[in-house]
């Protein structure tokens, strides 16, 4: 009975120990978080557990257990930063100042990192020292002015200086180390002075730019006003020129119209004079023929009377002829004077308004040149003048024949062929004709008696 009890007690103790071991073993099981990596160092190997590795679970046997005991180093796989808020640095001239530097890293090789450090805090301390040394080395090779003006370039220089050293810790930089700020140290005002200088320079440049912008704006306004005024004046000038050109064209058109009217009036008057001349000449010829026919019966009794009347008719005809010629010359002179007056008037107006009245003057000149060069037109004018003179002489002769009792007998077919003019009686041809007539009369008894009667008659 006692043996059974001891056996049951031993079984119970063994079961209790087994259960305790089971729960203890379960408590040693580790699941690596996503943002961490666990580097497990066993007696023979170093194994990393976590996301991206062979496994992310393991049992963390205490290092005091022989054979299976291990050591664990926990490192983050997420990004982490190294912050140097007030790091004292020097430039090339040993000018002191404070900088604020931010660096961002991540663990690229967890096994190497685990070999270099025992904890993450130790890793950060060592990385901080590396960053400080790189910043000091880079800044000490440049002057403060250059450092303040080109921060981005110095961030790249910091990163370039740190990168070769980070490989030994299994760490890599995520981005360039940032030079966040530069400040004066407690006993220095270098940065403040530089900033004041820069601020004054910026203010000066700003004022210069503002003044230049104001000047350019004012110049632009002046140029705009000048352009507007020039455009207005050009528009007024164009309007004036257009008005003057219109007035000139109107004046030229009026003058040309007036000249054409005068030319038409002259042509009409010339044609009317031609008609009157033909009418008068034809009337004179008819009257002359009638007078010749009428004067035939009274040939014998009116010869002596015709002599006296003929002399008076000749004088009257000569006077009428001269009067007619003078009248024609007066009309011609008046026409010339009128033309000269028009030319002088056009010349005077052309002097005052050259652009308007040059056309009429040119027209007059061209008309004169046309008349001078046109022989036919000149013959036409001379023919008009000759017709006028013949008309005046014929009219005077007709009037003389009407008042004189002269009878002309012509044996020719027409009176004009027998005696073309009364004046032929007083010419050599007329005398020869009279002598022939008297000789003819002397050959007949009746004619001889008539001649003897007139020859023997005593003057009173």
């Amino acid at each position: 009975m006692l043996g059974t009890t001891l056996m049951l007690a031993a079984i119970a103790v063994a079961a209790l120990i087994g259960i305790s071991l089971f729960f203890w073993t379960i408590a040693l099981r580790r699941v690596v978080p996503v943002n961490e990596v666990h580097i497990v160092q066993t007696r023979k190997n170093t194994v990393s557990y976590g996301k991206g590795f062979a496994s992310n679970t393991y049992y963390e046997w205490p290092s005091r257990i022989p054979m299976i005991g291990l050591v664990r180093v926990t490192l983050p796989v997420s990004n982490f930063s190294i912050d140097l808020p007030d790091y004292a640095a020097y430039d090339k001239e040993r000018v002191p100042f404070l900088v604020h530097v931010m660096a961002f890293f991540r663990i690229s090789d967890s096994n190497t990192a685990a070999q270099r450090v025992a904890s993450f805090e130790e890793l950060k301390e060592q990385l901080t020292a590396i960053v400080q040394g790189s910043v000091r080395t880079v800044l000490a090779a440049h002057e403060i002015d250059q450092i303040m003006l080109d921060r981005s370039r110095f961030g790249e220089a910091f990163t370039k200086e740190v990168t070769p050293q980070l490989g030994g810790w299994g760490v890599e930089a995520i981005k360039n180390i940032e030079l966040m700020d530069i400040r004066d140290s407690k006993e220095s005002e270098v940065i403040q002075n530089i900033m004041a200088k820069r601020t004054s320079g910026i203010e000066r440049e700003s004022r210069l730019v503002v003044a230049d912008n104001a000047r350019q704006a004012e110049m632009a306004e002046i140029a705009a006003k000048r352009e507007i005024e020039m455009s207005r004046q050009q528009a007024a000038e164009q309007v004036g020129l257009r008005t003057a050109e219109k007035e000139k064209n109107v004046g030229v058109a009026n003058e040309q119209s007036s000249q054409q009217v005068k030319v038409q009036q002259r042509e009409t008057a010339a044609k009317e004079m031609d008609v009157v001349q033909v009418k008068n000449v034809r009337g004179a010829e008819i009257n002359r023929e009638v007078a010749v026919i009428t004067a035939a019966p009274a040939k014998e009794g009116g010869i002596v009377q015709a002599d006296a009347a003929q002399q008076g008719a000749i004088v009257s005809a000569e006077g009428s002829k001269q009067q007619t010629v003078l009248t024609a010359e007066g009309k011609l002179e008046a026409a010339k004077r009128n033309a000269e007056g028009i030319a002088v008037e056009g010349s005077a107006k052309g002097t005052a308004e050259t652009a308007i009245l040059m056309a009429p003057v040119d027209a007059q000149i061209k008309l004169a040149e046309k008349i001078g060069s046109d022989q036919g037109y000149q013959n036409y004018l001379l023919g008009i003048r000759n017709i006028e003179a013949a008309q005046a002489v014929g009219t005077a002769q007709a009037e003389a024949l009407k008042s004189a009792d002269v009878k002309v007998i012509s044996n020719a077919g027409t009176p004009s062929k027998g005696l073309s003019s009364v004046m032929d009686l007083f010419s050599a041809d007329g005398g020869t004709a009279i002598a022939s007539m008297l000789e003819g009369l002397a050959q007949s008894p009746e004619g001889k008696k008539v001649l003897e009667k007139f020859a023997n008659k005593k003057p009173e």
Side-chain angles (χ1 to χ4, degrees), residues 90-168:
Y90 298 90
D91 72 343
K92 185 177 181 180
E93 303 296 332
R94 301 297 295 175
V95 175
F97 55 89
L98 300 178
V99 294
H100 182 193
V101 179
M102 287 285 295
F104 298 91
F105 304 103
R106 74 179 184 87
I107 297 174
S108 59
D109 188 350
S110 57
N111 293 336
T112 303
Q115 292 175 3
R116 295 294 184 270
V117 296
S119 64
F120 180 65
E121 286 72 15
E122 184 180 356
L123 178 62
K124 292 182 67 175
E125 291 178 358
Q126 295 182 10
L127 292 177
T128 300
I130 293 173
V131 171
Q132 288 177 348
S134 300
V135 169
R136 187 184 305 110
T137 301
V138 172
L139 294 180
H142 300 82
E143 295 182 356
I144 185 64
D145 291 341
Q146 186 178 3
I147 296 172
M148 294 183 64
L149 290 175
D150 202 359
R151 295 185 182 182
S152 61
R153 188 171 68 86
F154 283 97
E156 295 177 357
F158 294 157
T159 305
K160 186 176 180 180
E161 182 71 21
V162 169
T163 299
Q165 303 178 48
L166 295 179

Side-chain angles (χ1 to χ4, degrees), residues 324-347:
T324 303
V325 171
L326 291 174
T327 301
E329 290 179 353
K331 291 181 179 180
L332 179 60
E333 186 66 23
K336 290 182 179 180
R337 295 291 184 182
N338 188 18
E340 291 177 357
I342 293 173
V344 171
E345 182 181 359
S347 177

Side-chain angles (χ1 to χ4, degrees), residues 24-305:
W24 179 70
T25 303
I26 294 299
L28 294 178
R29 187 174 183 272
R30 301 286 183 267
V31 178
V32 181
V34 177
N35 59 345
E36 291 182 357
V37 59
H38 292 182
I39 298 92
V40 176
Q41 179 67 42
T42 62
R43 183 172 64 89
K44 296 182 179 180
N45 298 319
T46 299
V47 181
S48 297
Y49 294 92
K51 183 178 180 180
F53 295 96
S55 176
N56 60 350
T57 59
Y58 66 96
Y59 289 92
E60 187 180 358
W61 303 110
S63 59
R64 60 181 176 274
I65 298 176
M67 302 297 294
I68 61 172
L70 55 86
V71 177
R72 185 193 70 180
V73 177
T74 303
L75 297 175
V77 294
S78 59
N79 301 333
F80 60 93
S81 62
I82 303 296
D83 188 12
L84 302 178
D86 294 315
Y87 179 66
Y90 298 90
D91 72 343
K92 185 177 181 180
E93 303 296 332
R94 301 297 295 175
V95 175
F97 55 89
L98 300 178
V99 294
H100 182 193
V101 179
M102 287 285 295
F104 298 91
F105 304 103
R106 74 179 184 87
I107 297 174
S108 59
D109 188 350
S110 57
N111 293 336
T112 303
Q115 292 175 3
R116 295 294 184 270
V117 296
S119 64
F120 180 65
E121 286 72 15
E122 184 180 356
L123 178 62
K124 292 182 67 175
E125 291 178 358
Q126 295 182 10
L127 292 177
T128 300
I130 293 173
V131 171
Q132 288 177 348
S134 300
V135 169
R136 187 184 305 110
T137 301
V138 172
L139 294 180
H142 300 82
E143 295 182 356
I144 185 64
D145 291 341
Q146 186 178 3
I147 296 172
M148 294 183 64
L149 290 175
D150 202 359
R151 295 185 182 182
S152 61
R153 188 171 68 86
F154 283 97
E156 295 177 357
F158 294 157
T159 305
K160 186 176 180 180
E161 182 71 21
V162 169
T163 299
Q165 303 178 48
L166 295 179
W169 275 263
V171 179
E172 65 180 2
I174 300 174
K175 57 177 294 186
N176 292 335
I177 299 174
E178 297 290 341
L179 181 58
M180 305 299 292
D181 191 16
I182 300 176
R183 300 186 303 276
D184 284 322
S185 60
K186 295 182 179 180
E187 298 179 356
S188 176
E189 296 181 355
V190 176
I191 306 299
Q192 184 177 355
N193 293 334
I194 293 175
M195 292 178 65
K197 182 175 69 174
R198 296 297 181 190
T199 302
S200 63
I202 294 172
E203 183 179 1
R204 179 180 64 84
E205 292 178 359
S206 176
R207 293 177 64 181
L208 289 175
V209 171
V210 170
D212 185 65
N213 291 337
R215 180 180 61 82
Q216 292 181 1
E218 187 174 358
M219 290 179 64
E221 291 178 357
I222 294 172
K225 291 179 180 179
R226 181 174 64 249
E227 185 175 358
I228 292 172
E229 186 64 25
M230 289 292 293
S231 299
R232 186 182 295 112
Q233 292 180 3
Q234 289 178 358
E237 181 181 0
Q238 291 177 358
V239 171
L241 292 175
R242 181 58 180 168
T243 303
E245 184 178 359
K246 181 187 71 175
E247 293 177 355
K248 182 188 74 173
N249 294 333
V250 171
V252 170
N254 292 334
E255 290 295 331
Q256 291 178 351
S257 177
S258 177
Q259 289 178 4
Q260 292 177 359
V261 170
K262 291 179 180 179
V263 170
Q264 292 296 328
Q265 289 177 353
R266 183 186 63 189
E267 293 179 356
T268 303
K271 291 179 180 179
E272 291 177 355
M273 292 175 66
D274 292 340
V275 173
V276 173
Q277 182 181 11
V278 172
K279 181 178 179 181
N280 292 335
V281 171
R282 185 58 182 166
E285 290 178 354
I286 293 171
N287 292 332
R288 184 177 61 185
E289 291 176 359
V290 171
V292 170
I293 295 171
T294 305
K299 176 183 70 172
E300 294 178 359
I303 292 176
V304 176
Q305 294 177 359

